[in-house]
């Protein structure tokens, strides 16, 4: 700003522009220097694989993943004509629809009740967060026992109640639902913890003044807690969305994509095509589609979400 | 926003941490392997290390480890390190990513349908090389096994563990239903009738379960003399489409559909462990599974277990079964002494003593028929006569293209296609549509695989 105030002269102006340019360059390279570590890490672990995936998606490959025949967009056309891929897209969307709201509602409820200052509430907090400490594999094995068609506890319970047994993981009408339940259970620990953290950082004076005004519990929940929690909720929703799209472990353990491809979520379908069928081209094409879906959804979320999010 | 940034950054670090963890490990491994041959050269007394990748989990792994320990203790020149690499599918995937590099093992166990894929990988040394160099007599091995693994008069791999599918049944339930527990049903129609009788006598119990497993579908086809792929199951030329007729291909689906209509069929989907657990819990009276389970099932079931041959359609003749299981592959690009050490271990595994012990402790049959004379086998037969069924079934198999089994690199994919169709039928889907989708999808997969080879 100071320089602009100097008396105007042609040659000085030129020198000024140069100096400004140099300054800008210096600050740009300084900025780049700070960004360098993350740029390198991103390039090695994200951008290069992304480029490689795009490249592979235009080829057929042999079993060790080397490209053999260039086919252009054929892989993309094939997957969009394949009933299996369309089914897998549909299942993935349904799965996201079941698990994201499910996880968030369950953990929000748990976080709100665990946020009350009661004796021994620490025990419950630990309990609700504990699923975070259980690996997907261990949790899946545990649910596998619950879901077992004849000796599983869930069906034993149904039997006691006099109801018919349900093929939790073998009946195509139930399988996706069952996997979703298991997933909600597995993810609720992490979401609970983040939401509880968010709740605890809300200033108490807001509640105090609301109390003075004579606000009721649900009024405070709606007008103070939820708006103040919105940044945390926004983060949790975004992360849950992406997680749900990338679900793999429990599918591999519980159903292996079956029955009838009902739980063949897109990442599992990519895995099957690449590492079991050795069709790296088709798998890469699917991965690119998944990338764009997540990219678009995240952009939409940021556009819509940021308007509603209330930052302190 | 800052908070989010911090959290995201934290997650990112975590992620990168996980990713970078892998690389030092692999480079260490590579370094370890690189150094092995040097050590061997400098100190001739140092034993040669043979890295052996296998896919035997659980009880089978224990049995295999025992054999490896025994071998290592029996001599000083070679040390075999057996590494469990997950299921057959997983192990093959791992191998494919490192084929031809220093990280590759010296020898590896690969399932029978990976045969073509291994040959195409270019990372292997056909064992015919060693057979010729030494004049090793392969004809001492079981004839049906030789039929499968000999391609154009060349042995690419050494047969090791072979099994066939057999039908397990609950003898007590057969008695209770008034069936003859000593003669298991032999045809599809007999299985249906027996299932009905069992369900009538005990409404809590279903008659029959068929795991939705592509391997079983292939076996049920072969047992009625049907080819899986054309061009003689891929043995005279690369297959271009499926080899079974509509009648043959549909027979299995229709068989299951009839039992579903009778309400005598138990659906365990693709999960074999659930099926066996259901059998133990007396929820189902008969099921088909690999003979490698015989020892485990007979030992663990709380009732008397019978084992019978694989059923076939009434109007056909029994053709027999295809060899299932796996063989051992030698990798190329390894120092010769390491290969020779691995070859020595392969020969050790073929000896009647080892094959006898392996057969008795698992249910895989002995690929060296001399093993059946071993005292350990004869003793075990007295306790568990069911083990003999698998041997009898194999020996009564008619040698034909159907029972030699299909050779094609996309068979694993074909299996998954079949499994989906089987599940569709199990859940009340239409047989004609399910069958047509199998044919269409397998044909498309064959075409894709042939194109991808770029020939």
């Amino acid at each position: 700003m100071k320089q602009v105030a100097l008396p105007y002269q042609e040659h000085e102006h030129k020198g000024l522009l140069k100096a400004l340019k140099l300054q800008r360059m210096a600050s740009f390279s300084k900025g780049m220097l700070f960004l360098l570590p993350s740029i390198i890490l991103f390039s090695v672990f994200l951008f290069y694989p992304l480029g490689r995936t795009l490249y592979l998606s235009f080829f057929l490959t042999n079993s060790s993943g080397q490209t053999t025949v260039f086919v252009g967009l054929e892989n993309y056309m094939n997957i969009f004509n394949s009933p299996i891929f369309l089914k897998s897209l549909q299942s993935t969307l349904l799965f996201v629809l079941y698990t994201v709201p499910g996880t968030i509602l369950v953990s929000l409820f748990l976080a709100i009740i665990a946020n009350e200052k009661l004796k021994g509430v620490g025990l419950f907090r630990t309990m609700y967060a504990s699923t975070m400490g259980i690996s997907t594999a261990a949790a899946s094995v545990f649910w596998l026992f619950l879901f077992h068609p004849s000796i599983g506890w869930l069906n034993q319970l149904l039997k006691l109640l006099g109801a018919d047994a349900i093929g939790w993981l073998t009946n195509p009408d139930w399988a996706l639902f069952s996997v979703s339940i298991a997933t909600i259970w597995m993810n609720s620990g992490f979401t609970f913890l983040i939401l509880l953290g968010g709740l605890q950082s809300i200033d108490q004076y807001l509640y105090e003044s609301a109390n003075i005004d004579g606000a009721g519990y649900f009024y405070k929940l709606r007008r103070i807690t939820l708006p103040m929690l919105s940044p945390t909720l926004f983060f949790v929703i975004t992360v849950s969305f992406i997680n749900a799209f990338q679900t793999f472990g429990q599918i591999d353990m519980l159903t292996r994509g079956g029955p009838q491809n009902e739980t063949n979520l897109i990442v599992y379908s990519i895995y099957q095509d690449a590492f079991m069928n050795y069709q790296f081209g088709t798998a890469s094409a699917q991965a690119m589609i998944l990338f764009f879906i997540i990219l678009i959804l995240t952009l939409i979320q940021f556009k819509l979400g940021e308007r509603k999010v209330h930052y302190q | 926003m800052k908070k989010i940034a911090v959290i995201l950054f934290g997650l990112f670090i975590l992620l990168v941490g996980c990713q970078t963890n892998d690389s030092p490990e692999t480079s260490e491994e590579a370094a370890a392997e690189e150094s092995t041959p040097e050590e061997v050269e400098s100190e001739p007394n140092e034993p040669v290390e043979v890295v052996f990748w296998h896919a035997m989990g659980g009880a089978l792994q224990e049995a295999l480890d025992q054999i490896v320990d025994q071998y290592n203790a029996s001599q000083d020149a070679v040390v075999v390190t057996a590494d469990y690499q997950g299921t057959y599918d997983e192990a093959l995937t791992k191998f494919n990513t490192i084929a031809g590099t220093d990280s590759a093992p010296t020898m590896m166990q690969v399932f029978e349908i990976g045969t073509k894929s291994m040959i195409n990988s270019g990372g292997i040394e056909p064992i015919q090389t060693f057979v010729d160099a030494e004049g090793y007599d392969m004809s001492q091995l079981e004839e049906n096994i030789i039929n499968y693994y000999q391609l154009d008069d060349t042995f690419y791999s050494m047969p090791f563990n072979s099994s066939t599918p057999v039908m397990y049944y609950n003898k007590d339930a057969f008695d209770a239903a008034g069936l003859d527990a000593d003669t298991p049903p032999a045809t599809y129609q007999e299985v249906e009738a027996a299932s009905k009788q069992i369900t009538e006598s005990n409404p809590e119990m279903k008659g029959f379960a068929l795991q939705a497993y592509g391997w079983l579908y292939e076996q049920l086809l072969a047992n009625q003399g049907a080819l899986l792929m054309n061009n003689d199951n891929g043995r005279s030329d690369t297959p271009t489409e499926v080899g079974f007729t509509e009648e043959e291909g549909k027979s299995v689906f229709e068989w299951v559909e009839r039992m579903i209509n009778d309400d005598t069929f138990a659906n365990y989907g693709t999960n074999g462990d659930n099926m066996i657990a259901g059998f133990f819990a007396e929820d189902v009276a008969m099921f088909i599974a690999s003979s490698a389970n015989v020892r485990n099932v007979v030992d663990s079931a709380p009732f008397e277990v019978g084992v019978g041959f694989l059923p076939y359609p009434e109007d056909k003749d029994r053709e027999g079964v295809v060899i299932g299981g796996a063989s051992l592959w030698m990798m190329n690009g390894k120092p010769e002494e390491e290969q020779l050490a691995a070859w020595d271990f392969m020969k050790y595994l073929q000896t009647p003593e080892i094959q006898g012990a392996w057969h008795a402790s698992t249910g895989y049959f002995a690929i060296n028929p001399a093993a059946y004379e071993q005292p350990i086998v004869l003793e075990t037969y007295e306790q568990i006569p069911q083990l003999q069924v698998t041997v009898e079934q194999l020996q009564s198999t008619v040698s034909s293209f159907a029972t030699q089994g299909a050779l094609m690199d996309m068979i694993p994919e074909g299996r998954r296609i079949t499994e989906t169709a089987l599940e569709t039928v199990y859940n009340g889907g239409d047989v004609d549509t399910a069958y047509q989708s199998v044919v269409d999808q397998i044909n498309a997969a064959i075409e894709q695989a042939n194109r991808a080879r770029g020939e």
Side-chain angles (χ1 to χ4, degrees):
Chain A
M1 281 293 134
K2 263 181 206 161
Q3 288 100 321
V4 182
L6 285 171
Y8 176 77
Q9 257 169 6
E10 189 65 23
H11 65 276
E12 252 186 35
H13 178 64
K14 259 190 189 160
L16 188 69
L17 272 182
K18 216 175 171 186
L20 263 177
K21 218 176 175 183
L22 269 177
Q23 207 178 0
R24 232 181 271 148
M25 279 289 287
S27 84
F28 176 75
S29 42
K30 213 190 279 173
M32 286 310 281
L33 209 65
F34 279 113
L35 284 177
L36 203 63
S38 71
I39 288 182
I40 290 177
L41 287 173
F42 270 111
S43 305
V44 171
F45 294 113
L46 295 172
F47 300 140
Y48 170 72
L50 183 65
R52 182 82 192 159
T53 307
L54 185 66
Y55 172 77
L56 274 176
S57 71
F58 298 128
F59 287 90
L60 295 180
T61 59
N62 66 11
S63 54
S64 48
Q66 282 148 348
T67 54
T68 50
V69 184
F70 177 78
V71 292
L73 289 174
E74 199 187 298
N75 284 331
Y76 289 92
M77 289 185 312
N78 280 348
I79 56 170
F80 277 110
N81 285 326
S82 138
I84 297 177
F85 179 71
L86 295 179
K87 176 98 208 171
S88 135
L89 268 186
Q90 189 199 346
S91 306
T92 311
L93 291 177
L94 273 178
F95 180 78
V96 170
L97 214 64
Y98 292 158
T99 54
V100 174
T103 311
I104 294 196
L105 287 178
V106 167
S107 14
L108 185 61
F109 174 72
L110 292 179
I112 288 172
I113 58 172
N115 195 33
E116 299 298 327
K117 291 193 175 50
L118 296 170
K119 219 178 191 179
V121 79
L123 177 75
F124 288 97
R125 286 180 186 165
T126 318
M127 215 161 77
Y128 296 153
S130 63
T131 63
M132 205 178 70
I134 300 174
S135 73
T136 312
S140 301
V141 170
F142 162 71
W143 278 95
L144 212 51
F145 280 118
L146 291 183
F147 285 140
H148 189 280
S150 46
I151 53 172
W153 295 347
L154 288 177
N155 275 349
Q156 299 281 5
L157 196 72
L158 284 178
K159 213 185 233 174
L160 275 182
L161 298 174
D164 272 343
I166 294 173
W168 295 99
L169 297 172
T170 49
N171 185 334
D173 298 332
W174 282 94
L176 192 63
F177 178 75
S178 310
V179 175
S180 301
I181 298 276
T183 308
I184 290 175
W185 184 83
M186 287 175 209
N187 291 351
S188 61
F190 172 74
T191 319
F192 164 80
L193 203 70
I194 304 270
L195 287 177
L196 186 65
L199 285 175
Q200 306 241 308
S201 64
I202 298 176
D203 258 322
Q204 282 306 309
Y205 75 82
L206 290 171
Y207 292 106
E208 276 162 26
S209 52
N211 283 340
I212 292 166
D213 292 341
Y217 178 80
F218 287 101
Y219 190 83
K220 279 188 286 183
L221 184 68
R222 194 154 55 89
R223 294 290 171 165
I224 301 174
T225 312
L226 288 183
M228 295 308 286
L229 196 60
S230 58
T232 320
L233 270 176
F234 179 62
F235 167 73
V236 161
I237 290 173
T238 311
V239 170
S240 308
F241 245 101
I242 296 177
N243 265 344
F245 270 105
Q246 299 184 341
T247 301
F248 175 79
Q250 54 269 52
I251 300 292
D252 191 40
M253 302 283 297
L254 290 175
T255 60
R256 302 191 145 259
Q260 295 167 250
N261 290 324
E262 205 57 52
T263 61
N264 193 5
L265 302 189
I266 190 159
V267 174
Y268 195 73
S269 157
I270 292 171
Y271 163 78
Q272 274 202 332
D273 262 340
F275 300 113
M276 295 168 95
N277 300 344
Y278 304 117
Q279 312 258 1
F280 291 88
T282 322
S284 301
Q286 292 182 41
M288 290 311 294
I289 304 289
L290 174 66
F291 167 69
F292 282 112
I293 293 176
I294 295 183
L295 184 72
I296 291 167
L297 280 176
T298 311
L299 283 179
I300 292 176
Q301 269 181 353
F302 269 87
K303 280 268 176 289
L304 288 182
E306 288 214 309
R307 258 185 258 155
K308 304 259 180 209
V309 172
H310 176 90
Y311 292 105
Q312 274 176 324
Chain B
M1 203 60 198
K2 235 188 233 165
K3 215 184 287 166
I4 297 173
V6 168
I7 293 170
L8 283 178
F9 183 71
L11 286 177
F12 175 66
I13 292 290
L14 207 79
L15 218 91
V16 169
C18 297
Q19 280 171 330
T20 40
N21 264 350
D22 293 342
S23 44
E25 248 174 64
T26 36
S27 57
E28 260 169 47
E29 266 171 42
E33 304 232 348
E34 269 167 37
S35 62
T36 325
E38 281 162 32
E39 277 169 27
V40 171
E41 273 161 34
S42 55
E43 288 168 64
N45 293 333
E46 194 83 348
V48 182
E49 197 197 353
V50 169
V51 180
F52 170 33
W53 279 16
H54 66 86
M56 301 276 87
L60 299 176
Q61 183 173 13
E62 282 167 33
L64 183 61
D65 283 345
Q66 213 178 341
I67 292 177
V68 170
D69 290 344
Q70 227 172 304
Y71 174 74
N72 286 339
S74 74
Q75 40 73 43
D76 299 328
V78 183
V79 175
V80 174
T81 316
D83 280 338
Y84 175 61
Q85 294 289 343
T87 63
Y88 286 131
D89 265 314
E90 288 162 358
L92 187 57
T93 301
K94 284 184 196 169
F95 172 74
N96 269 317
T97 54
I98 53 137
T101 69
D102 285 339
S103 317
T106 327
M107 59 187 276
M108 180 180 172
Q109 180 195 28
V110 178
F111 58 173
E112 81 282 12
I113 52 171
T115 302
K116 193 84 186 185
S117 161
M118 287 302 281
I119 296 172
N120 290 346
S121 79
I124 60 108
E125 180 74 46
I127 61 149
Q128 189 70 42
T129 320
F130 303 93
V131 172
D132 290 345
E134 199 184 294
Y136 184 74
D137 180 20
M138 290 295 275
S139 66
Q140 58 171 318
L141 304 184
E142 173 80 41
E143 190 196 340
N144 287 296
I145 295 172
I146 291 177
N147 277 340
Y148 188 95
Y149 288 105
Q150 191 170 30
L151 312 170
D152 308 327
D153 293 328
T154 305
F155 282 101
Y156 284 92
S157 60
M158 183 65 112
F160 170 51
N161 56 318
S162 292
S163 67
T164 56
V166 287
M167 192 170 75
Y168 297 78
Y169 62 100
N170 181 336
K171 280 191 169 179
D172 295 0
F174 267 55
D175 281 335
L179 291 158
D180 180 3
D182 291 321
T183 42
T187 64
Y188 290 3
Q189 284 71 14
E190 285 172 35
V191 170
E192 285 166 44
S195 298
K196 255 191 212 163
Q197 224 168 318
I198 287 163
T199 318
E200 271 162 26
S201 81
N202 180 2
E204 296 280 292
M205 189 187 266
K206 297 280 187 204
F208 182 80
L210 181 68
Q211 183 191 355
Y213 183 18
W215 179 64
L216 294 176
Y217 183 76
E218 289 162 20
Q219 296 285 357
L220 289 165
L221 283 183
N223 204 18
Q224 48 184 293
L227 298 174
L228 184 64
M229 303 275 163
N230 71 352
N231 290 333
D232 301 328
N233 251 346
R235 289 195 178 252
S236 57
D237 198 2
T238 309
T240 53
E241 57 179 28
V242 297
F244 46 85
T245 65
E246 183 167 340
E247 187 212 350
E248 292 163 339
K250 268 189 193 167
S251 62
V252 179
F253 293 109
E254 284 167 346
W255 177 38
V256 171
E257 192 189 34
R258 289 195 297 270
M259 285 188 284
I260 292 171
N261 291 340
D262 291 348
D263 207 18
T264 56
F265 185 82
N267 176 14
Y268 290 96
T270 49
N271 194 320
D273 293 338
N274 276 355
M275 182 178 66
I276 294 177
F279 181 69
F280 288 161
E282 302 187 42
D283 287 327
V284 63
M286 291 179 270
F287 72 96
I288 297 178
S290 160
S291 60
N293 297 314
V294 167
R295 184 74 203 238
N296 176 27
V297 170
V298 172
D299 284 349
S300 321
F303 45 80
E304 185 119 14
V305 177
V307 176
F309 282 13
L310 190 68
Y312 57 96
E314 208 169 45
D315 50 350
K316 295 275 168 59
D317 290 325
R318 185 207 310 275
E319 186 101 349
V321 286
V322 184
I323 306 293
S327 62
L328 305 174
W329 292 77
M330 181 80 77
M331 304 310 154
N332 59 14
K334 293 282 169 194
E336 202 187 335
E337 58 225 320
E338 208 176 305
Q339 286 184 332
L340 286 174
W343 170 243
D344 188 59
F345 178 56
M346 285 183 186
K347 282 190 298 185
Y348 177 77
L349 292 176
Q350 308 308 323
T351 55
E353 296 78 30
I354 298 302
Q355 279 298 320
W358 178 242
H359 172 59
S361 58
T362 58
Y364 281 114
F365 45 76
I367 56 179
N368 188 339
Y372 297 126
E373 310 300 323
Q374 291 292 313
I376 181 169
V377 175
L378 297 174
E379 252 168 56
T380 319
Y381 278 173
E382 263 169 40
Q383 294 161 12
I384 308 177
Q386 292 97 323
L387 276 172
Q388 275 170 296
V389 174
T390 174
V391 181
E392 285 161 13
Q393 178 168 246
L394 184 75
Q395 288 172 346
S396 68
T397 290
V398 183
S399 178
S400 67
F401 284 123
T403 57
Q404 276 180 17
L407 270 183
M408 183 61 188
D409 46 7
M410 48 54 71
I411 294 180
E413 186 177 359
R415 283 191 179 172
R416 271 180 291 282
I417 294 169
T418 328
E419 284 158 18
T420 306
L422 283 172
E423 280 184 305
T424 310
V425 174
Y426 292 0
N427 290 300
D430 180 48
V431 169
D432 294 320
T433 348
Y435 170 75
Q436 201 51 47
S437 79
V438 166
V439 175
D440 292 345
Q441 288 182 60
I442 293 188
N443 283 342
I446 294 174
E447 199 193 321
Q448 176 98 342
N450 285 338
R451 275 182 68 202
R453 239 171 275 123
E455 283 157 4

